[in-house]
Amino acid sequence: MSEALETYLHDHLAGAAYAIDLVQFMRDQHRDPQLRQFASHLLIEIKQDRETLRQLAEQSGAGGSTLKEAASWFGEKLARMKLGHDKDEGLATFEALEFLVVGIHGKLALWRALDVAASSDARLAGFNFKQLAARAQRQQDEVDQFRLQVARDALVSRPRGVNDLRYSGSPKACNHANGGSAMQKNTLIGSVVVTLGIVLAISMLPDIIRYMKIRSM
């Protein structure tokens, strides 16, 4: 049971590391000043939540998990690359916000689960999990509100009229424009696949680590 709690806290510490780097990038680099301001406020609270998780890990004897946090750091760097190329349609921003909504929902589930377990485990004493859960619920609602604000621009295709081809000049130029559009789509699809692959790899890290431990026995 002790190992299960340690693994659970390590998993959420890794997720917190990913979220912090991603929100920090939004705060420093995103072109929307309103989102930058919101990210700055959210970053403070997420860092406080991670510090609470660290205290829980130390109190339970789990300590930090450098390997998992490093994996989250690598995954976040790919997300930065995707956000850096998101200049037109906002899909990467939308997906980043959606990822944060899912992550915060997981944090909400974490606090609620620990609140139940605290009555039977002295290592979880001294933490107001109900208050932490209430804050996570507010964070989730606020991030989701931003997500829905950018959903239309990110997901609804803009109709292409005659004006889009006004400066084509020749069939060759038109083909070049179509090729550029296809290239952008392929790049976007590739970045999505890579990002999903990294997220999957991070989620499998606990099982991989346990397998390596068993092999070394």
Side-chain angles (χ1 to χ4, degrees):
M1 185 64 67
S2 175
E3 183 180 350
L5 177 61
E6 294 172 8
T7 299
Y8 188 51
L9 293 175
H10 281 168
D11 290 343
H12 278 275
L13 274 171
Y18 187 104
I20 285 174
D21 284 342
L22 187 57
V23 174
Q24 187 167 301
F25 181 78
M26 287 183 180
R27 180 199 65 182
D28 297 337
Q29 302 294 332
H30 203 277
R31 58 184 176 179
D32 183 354
Q34 186 179 10
L35 183 56
R36 289 201 305 269
Q37 182 178 4
F38 171 72
S40 178
H41 172 73
L42 181 63
L43 182 63
I44 295 173
E45 293 191 347
I46 293 180
K47 284 184 176 180
Q48 291 172 349
D49 291 337
R50 181 181 64 174
E51 182 58 30
T52 300
L53 272 173
R54 287 191 184 280
Q55 293 174 12
L56 278 164
E58 292 175 0
Q59 190 164 303
S60 66
S65 181
T66 304
L67 178 60
K68 289 184 182 179
E69 293 198 27
S72 292
W73 177 88
F74 180 68
E76 182 273 334
K77 293 302 171 286
L78 291 179
R80 284 192 180 194
M81 292 173 58
K82 188 176 178 185
L83 281 172
H85 288 85
D86 181 39
K87 302 300 184 183
D88 298 323
E89 297 179 314
L91 178 60
T93 299
F94 173 77
E95 289 183 334
L97 290 170
E98 189 162 78
F99 184 89
L100 284 175
V101 169
V102 174
I104 295 172
H105 181 76
K107 181 170 62 177
L108 172 61
L110 160 77
W111 298 138
R112 288 176 173 172
L114 294 181
D115 186 42
V116 172
S119 61
S120 303
D121 195 328
R123 295 173 299 170
L124 301 175
F127 295 90
N128 191 338
F129 294 115
K130 286 184 172 60
Q131 184 178 16
L132 290 166
R135 182 165 71 173
Q137 182 66 69
R138 175 179 54 77
Q139 291 171 355
Q140 179 181 330
D141 293 341
E142 291 176 349
V143 174
D144 196 48
Q145 187 175 19
F146 266 96
R147 182 185 71 92
L148 294 177
Q149 286 179 8
V150 302
R152 180 169 55 187
D153 290 338
L155 301 178
V156 177
S157 300
R158 298 176 182 177
R160 297 187 60 185
V162 177
N163 291 337
D164 294 329
L165 301 177
R166 180 176 299 174
Y167 299 104
S168 296
S170 68
K172 181 178 180 180
C174 183
N175 290 335
H176 177 72
N178 291 335
S181 176
M183 183 178 298
Q184 289 178 354
K185 290 180 180 179
N186 290 336
T187 302
L188 178 60
I189 292 172
S191 63
V192 171
V193 171
V194 172
T195 302
L196 290 176
I198 292 298
V199 171
L200 178 61
I202 293 172
S203 67
M204 293 176 62
L205 267 177
D207 295 326
I208 295 174
I209 293 172
R210 284 193 287 270
Y211 175 76
M212 292 174 63
K213 288 180 179 178
I214 293 173
R215 293 280 294 181
S216 63
M217 293 177 62

